[in-house]
Amino acid sequence: MITLSGDPTLSNAETSEAARILVVDDEQVIRDILSEFLSMEGYVVRSVDSGERALTELRLRPYDMVISDLKMPGISGIQLLETIAAESINVLAVIMTGFGTVETAISAMKTGAYDYILKPFKVEEVMHVVRRGLERQRLQAENIRLRESLTIFKVSEAIATSLDVNHVLDVILRAAIEESGADVASLHLKDPNGHRYDEQVRMTNPRAEIGDSVNLPAPDLSRVLLHFHQGTPILAHGVKANRFFSSSVMNEALVSFTSVPLQVATRVIGMLNVYSFTRGKKFDEGNRKMLSVLASRAATAIENARLYEDLQHHNRALSDANRSLEDNFQQTVAGFAMALEEADYYTGGHSQRVAEYAGMMARGLTLSEGDVERIVKAGTMHDIGKIGVPYDMINKPGKLTDKEIAIFRQHPDKGKRIMEPVPCMHDLIAGCWCHHEFYDGGGYPRGLAGDEIPLDGRIVAIADAYDAMTSDRAYRRALPHAYAVEEIARCSGTQFDPELAKVFLRSIEEHRRDVREQGEDELLPP
């Protein structure tokens, strides 16, 4: 028999915040007395006359406390405590006994009782035990909520600024195991380009006492997803968990299983699963709700990380496309300049050789690969401004007039004006515009001196001068290598940067030695 007691003025007590107490005793008088006094204190009270009915009631409804007699027909108070523990029913238990001994108390406490009451009892003593027990339970619940809030805060803080999906998954699984006490946790994510949900990571609780023989069953994703879309919680124990797994042959060691969705808006992007193989360790609704909060945080962080990865991928693709366009444009302009050179017997191949010598110097200075590449390109493009100089003037066999010299000296400025409108050529301007400046300030077009001349311009100046001296020109034959290096050494400090001149003189000899070792002497100036 089940009896509900309470003050008539508390007709809605069952739906209020009042604590719920279940009284279990085979004596009607005891049940009535306790029910009446507890109800007068504002508690919601139900009473039953046997351990069997108590278990049925505890399985149907949540209770904060159960006060049970020790000696009853059928299921005794101790057996009731054992079943409560085995089924992980979250309720505070107090045992009543008229056979009070130290051994009885110890046995009850070992089985999970919070306290015990001796019959015959005083109502004041019972109320004291109830109040103390419920206060303890309230403080425990508050501590749990604080701990969960702290965990959520720490997890949120750890993953909020992380754009690494693997780091997010690791943090979430560690928190899931720590908060739920699971033996194993796994996380499946949906393939962004398909409809599959693949297991991304699995983690075992280091404190779990499970053997290597335990096989983790694979979830039946279609059934799990159906529950998610229907909004039905997944929390199952023992054989009842079978329906959530694809294999009909389940690992009998599985005690409890729960799964929560990783959801962004209405899209399920993954699922967080926890497993218990520990006897008596069953997940409860509190565990499931906590995991749902973690999964919600994880879903947001994973989505942000994926969006960032996609953005990076598209940015890389765009950058690659831009570089390709820039390279094609630079090659087109350089090809046009070299085509003009090739049309002239005397200047054919000049820009390529200047680029080679300039790169050789840049490497001799141990500059970065990016700097070397820029200086090589500047060497290739250094005479692009000669496109605006009359062909006959460039190849005039005799001495140029003052007017012709003035026109010829405009080619660095013309080269700058050609490259200026093109963003991808801006970093080449220094080498092209300044390769006729002199270290002592006597050059053109701006009369810069010393370190006022950009490094690229000072390097290209030496490379250009050496190739000009060792190549045939309309007004003279090529000069010997020995004469050219002697001239560069002589003009060090006046026309050329003295430190760069030393680098060139050292590098050109190493270059010539390497070429000779390859048996290609004919490629070198004599």
Side-chain angles (χ1 to χ4, degrees), residues 217-419:
D220 182 345
L221 299 180
S222 59
R223 185 176 291 274
V224 169
L225 288 170
L226 179 62
H227 274 67
F228 289 162
H229 291 310
Q230 292 176 342
T232 309
I234 296 178
L235 178 60
H237 314 301
V239 294
K240 292 182 179 179
N242 280 4
R243 64 187 186 277
F244 295 112
F245 300 97
S246 53
S247 174
S248 58
V249 181
M250 279 288 300
N251 191 312
E252 295 180 358
L254 183 64
V255 173
S256 188
F257 169 74
T258 188
S259 180
V260 294
L262 274 66
Q263 200 160 334
V264 177
T266 58
R267 294 183 298 111
V268 176
I269 67 167
M271 59 196 69
L272 173 61
N273 315 300
V274 293
Y275 305 77
S276 171
F277 297 94
T278 301
R279 182 181 176 86
K281 172 54 186 173
K282 294 181 180 179
F283 304 122
D284 56 28
E285 184 61 15
N287 295 140
R288 192 194 66 79
K289 288 180 178 177
M290 179 62 181
L291 292 171
S292 294
V293 175
L294 291 177
S296 174
R297 299 293 193 278
T300 302
I302 290 168
E303 186 74 355
N304 289 341
R306 281 180 167 177
L307 288 173
Y308 178 72
E309 287 178 358
D310 288 344
L311 182 62
Q312 279 192 316
H313 172 74
H314 291 310
N315 282 344
R316 284 193 296 268
L318 185 60
S319 297
D320 290 343
N322 284 339
R323 277 195 296 272
S324 179
L325 288 172
E326 291 172 1
D327 290 344
N328 287 340
F329 186 82
Q330 289 177 358
Q331 289 170 11
T332 299
V333 175
F336 184 50
M338 286 188 284
L340 292 176
E341 284 184 0
E342 293 299 330
D344 176 19
Y345 170 79
Y346 296 106
T347 58
H350 170 66
S351 292
Q352 288 177 310
R353 291 190 297 273
V354 170
E356 182 181 359
Y357 297 142
M360 176 188 72
M361 291 179 65
R363 281 184 283 272
L365 290 167
T366 65
L367 300 182
S368 69
E369 282 303 311
D371 290 339
V372 171
E373 182 181 356
R374 183 191 69 247
I375 289 168
V376 168
K377 287 181 178 179
T380 303
M381 307 285 285
H382 78 285
D383 274 343
I384 190 68
K386 286 185 179 178
I387 291 173
V389 178
Y391 178 79
D392 293 340
M393 188 183 300
I394 295 174
N395 290 287
K396 184 177 180 179
K399 186 177 180 181
L400 298 178
T401 65
D402 290 345
K403 182 179 179 180
E404 289 171 334
I405 290 174
I407 293 173
F408 182 84
R409 288 188 172 185
Q410 292 174 5
H411 82 271
D413 284 326
K414 290 179 185 289
K416 174 178 177 286
R417 288 198 294 273
I418 289 171
M419 290 188 285

Side-chain angles (χ1 to χ4, degrees), residues 142-160:
E142 189 173 300
N143 286 338
I144 290 171
R145 286 194 295 273
L146 287 172
R147 190 188 69 191
E148 289 178 348
S149 298
L150 182 60
T151 298
I152 292 169
F153 173 76
K154 287 181 177 178
V155 168
S156 299
E157 190 176 51
I159 67 179

